[in-house]
Amino acid sequence: MDEKQELLEIYKLHAQLADSVSKQRATANRFYVLIFSGLVVLFSAFLQRKNGVPLGWLMIGFGLFGMLLAWAWFIALRSYCQLNSGKFQVLLALEEKLAYPFFKREWELLGEGKDSKSYRKQTVAESRVPMIFGICFVLLLLIGICLLCGIL
């Protein structure tokens, strides 16, 4: 196998690895959505049972847990983004030695991510979802605190 062929094989493998990271990120997103859905169901079940736990404490507990989950999700997304970014930097470096720089050309056509009309980074929109969940759970926590303090 000559050097160009070996380089092409390495390039193909690295492109598959980058795709694999994206698939793992999608799986992680589904996991967190499932966990948050379960948390909402569990919270509503606690509300319906009225098992003696004061509503304020219940809200504080779920608020804290939800905030921690939202933070963990955000960190996981950020990590996947950084990992993919590194993989594409390697792919771009490999492309300099190949006949056609596929990813570099694609990135140029998309305005290198600078023009949101050409390309909107998925990770920006994707990272807003755990932030929204986090805000909801912060509100739940604050309402719980207000209930315990007699403000509400």
Side-chain angles (χ1 to χ4, degrees):
M1 181 182 294
D2 70 345
E3 188 178 328
K4 279 277 194 202
Q5 187 63 31
E6 185 179 7
L7 189 62
L8 184 59
E9 290 302 316
I10 292 170
Y11 179 82
K12 283 193 237 177
L13 176 63
H14 209 71
Q16 288 173 347
L17 290 172
D19 186 50
S20 174
V21 169
S22 295
K23 288 177 183 176
Q24 290 172 4
R25 186 175 75 204
T27 300
N29 286 340
R30 283 192 297 274
F31 168 77
Y32 281 104
V33 168
L34 180 67
I35 293 295
F36 276 110
S37 300
L39 195 58
V40 169
V41 169
L42 187 61
F43 182 72
S44 64
F46 268 97
L47 287 178
Q48 290 177 356
R49 291 197 67 209
K50 296 180 182 172
N51 57 0
V53 178
L55 181 60
W57 284 114
L58 189 64
M59 294 175 92
I60 289 172
F62 276 90
L64 285 171
F65 188 63
M67 285 170 30
L68 288 173
L69 278 174
W71 178 251
W73 188 6
F74 180 80
I75 295 300
L77 283 175
R78 194 168 143 205
S79 177
Y80 281 121
C81 178
Q82 291 167 332
L83 187 57
N84 251 358
S85 179
K87 291 203 177 300
F88 278 100
Q89 287 174 7
V90 170
L91 283 168
L92 292 173
L94 286 170
E95 283 183 346
E96 292 176 5
K97 299 174 184 174
L98 296 174
Y100 185 78
F102 176 78
F103 284 112
K104 181 179 180 188
R105 183 68 182 125
E106 181 181 44
W107 191 235
E108 288 169 355
L109 290 171
L110 294 172
E112 298 180 355
K114 296 174 185 165
D115 181 14
S116 63
K117 292 178 185 175
S118 299
Y119 176 74
R120 198 172 290 257
K121 292 182 180 181
Q122 180 181 354
T123 53
V124 173
E126 194 177 33
S127 65
R128 288 186 178 139
V129 177
M131 285 187 222
I132 291 168
F133 274 106
I135 289 168
C136 291
F137 282 101
V138 165
L139 291 174
L140 187 66
L141 174 72
L142 291 175
I143 292 170
I145 292 170
C146 289
L147 283 173
L148 287 178
C149 293
I151 298 171
L152 292 178

